[in-house]
Amino acid sequence: MRLKQESDAPTWLIDFDYLPNQNVMLYTKYARGYRQGSVNIFGPEGFQTHGPEEVDSYELGAKTRFGGPVPGTFNVALFYNDLEDQQIQSGFVSSAGTVAPTTGIVNAGSSTIQGLEIDTSLLLLRDLTLSLAYTYLDTELKEIEPVTAPPGAVYDTILPTATPGSDLAQSPRHSATTNLTYRLPVSGQLGDMSVAATHVYVDEQETASTSPFGRLDAYNLLNLNMNWNAIASSPFDAALFVTNVTDEEYTVYVPGLINNVGAEFRVVGLPRMWGARLRYNF
């Protein structure tokens, strides 16, 4: 069997920037883009290929920097995205029970994504920097067009893993990252040494609205690292790290197959890990 999927479409970006002074940039932009389709040779008959999805993206924002006792930067952006021909994972079932249920992707959805992004960096002390990033997302799957199997198809029932009016999969409403970095006051001949702590918060999120297990709990992660760049003025860099310091147990994905195969599955997040890296700069 030889399968083929190809597509082409114009994409563009229109961007307007305004600089009222050297420390502030205001901007607005509009972009059109698309995610390409693909081929799945092991997919259900008649749905082994799917086409691209298109998005219209609108953004309004500002980028600033400031001085004073605590200098730093502050950036903010408001955005709105409109998706069409969205690629939706669906379950395929044979009512005759002659073959095992499976999954595939169909172009059947339309959605909106809107929200806010903020990030800032503050130089609290000469060698101490605090960075914050926050994202608010408001997503909605507006509709799913009915999809029917071709006549005589083995799989005659198609069940999307999402429902109209629900949040988009893997789109937490709130997420934030906080990083505190301290640059060690050592001689420049020894290199550049720093230690950092990073806290990551991810709000509860939907991965499959059709499954009773498809709503994932929020989780917090703490990561620590120490970097030593240009060791003793050499081309070597080294790093020590610990991720998920508290060894939090959390789930990152549920496929939503319970209505198709009678069981549900999950992908768990990485446990606590520690290690070291060594890099040579040519």
Side-chain angles (χ1 to χ4, degrees):
M1 177 185 296
R2 184 175 184 271
L3 298 173
K4 183 178 181 181
Q5 202 288 326
E6 61 181 356
S7 62
D8 60 84
T11 60
W12 57 79
L13 170 64
I14 303 174
D15 182 24
F16 294 97
D17 299 336
Y18 173 60
L19 285 75
N21 58 59
Q22 62 180 1
N23 294 322
V24 177
M25 184 186 79
L26 308 177
Y27 70 91
T28 182
K29 64 181 180 181
Y30 161 57
R32 160 65 67 86
Y34 78 99
R35 177 191 294 175
Q36 76 278 5
S38 187
V39 171
N40 178 14
I41 193 172
F42 300 107
E45 181 182 359
F47 295 90
Q48 293 169 302
T49 65
H50 60 272
E53 62 181 14
E54 295 184 346
V55 59
D56 287 306
S57 175
Y58 307 87
E59 185 173 335
L60 176 68
K63 298 180 180 294
T64 70
R65 61 182 181 183
F66 50 87
V70 183
T73 62
F74 180 82
N75 305 320
V76 60
L78 296 168
F79 57 86
Y80 177 86
N81 297 335
D82 191 7
L83 284 81
E84 296 293 338
D85 295 324
Q86 187 175 351
Q87 299 163 1
I88 300 290
Q89 179 174 284
S90 300
F92 289 77
V93 180
S94 170
S95 58
T98 55
V99 292
T102 187
T103 62
I105 296 178
V106 297
N107 295 92
S110 62
S111 301
T112 57
I113 303 172
Q114 57 188 343
L116 166 74
E117 289 183 339
I118 296 174
D119 68 84
T120 184
S121 178
L122 303 173
L123 187 61
L124 303 179
L125 301 171
R126 187 183 67 174
D127 297 314
L128 185 64
T129 302
L130 175 65
S131 299
L132 304 169
Y134 168 76
T135 300
Y136 170 78
L137 279 178
D138 179 14
T139 66
E140 182 184 4
L141 180 61
K142 295 190 298 184
E143 64 175 334
I144 297 181
E145 298 176 2
V147 179
T148 57
V154 175
Y155 296 100
D156 52 9
T157 302
I158 303 175
L159 303 171
T161 59
T163 53
S166 65
D167 296 339
L168 293 188
Q170 296 182 292
S171 300
R173 183 146 298 201
H174 305 279
S175 59
T177 301
T178 305
N179 176 269
L180 190 65
T181 300
Y182 178 62
R183 183 179 178 186
L184 300 178
V186 298
S187 169
Q189 294 180 345
L190 290 177
D192 184 7
M193 302 177 66
S194 65
V195 292
T198 303
H199 175 264
V200 177
Y201 170 77
V202 178
D203 199 8
E204 62 179 11
Q205 58 185 300
E206 199 91 64
T207 62
S209 62
T210 56
S211 170
F213 306 99
R215 188 95 183 157
L216 308 186
D217 293 334
Y219 60 87
N220 293 271
L221 299 178
L222 176 64
N223 304 320
L224 303 176
N225 66 278
M226 177 179 180
N227 296 313
W228 188 2
N229 297 329
I231 300 173
S233 301
S234 73
F236 286 96
D237 298 337
L240 301 174
F241 64 89
V242 184
T243 58
N244 192 4
V245 174
T246 60
D247 202 21
E248 176 156 349
E249 298 179 3
Y250 60 104
T251 302
V252 295
Y253 183 67
V254 170
L257 300 179
I258 192 168
N259 294 322
N260 305 325
V261 301
E264 193 59 273
F265 310 87
R266 68 171 182 157
V267 178
V268 298
L270 294 174
R272 178 172 54 227
M273 298 189 298
W274 61 271
R277 301 186 183 93
L278 182 64
R279 181 175 64 186
Y280 181 83
N281 300 296
F282 292 94

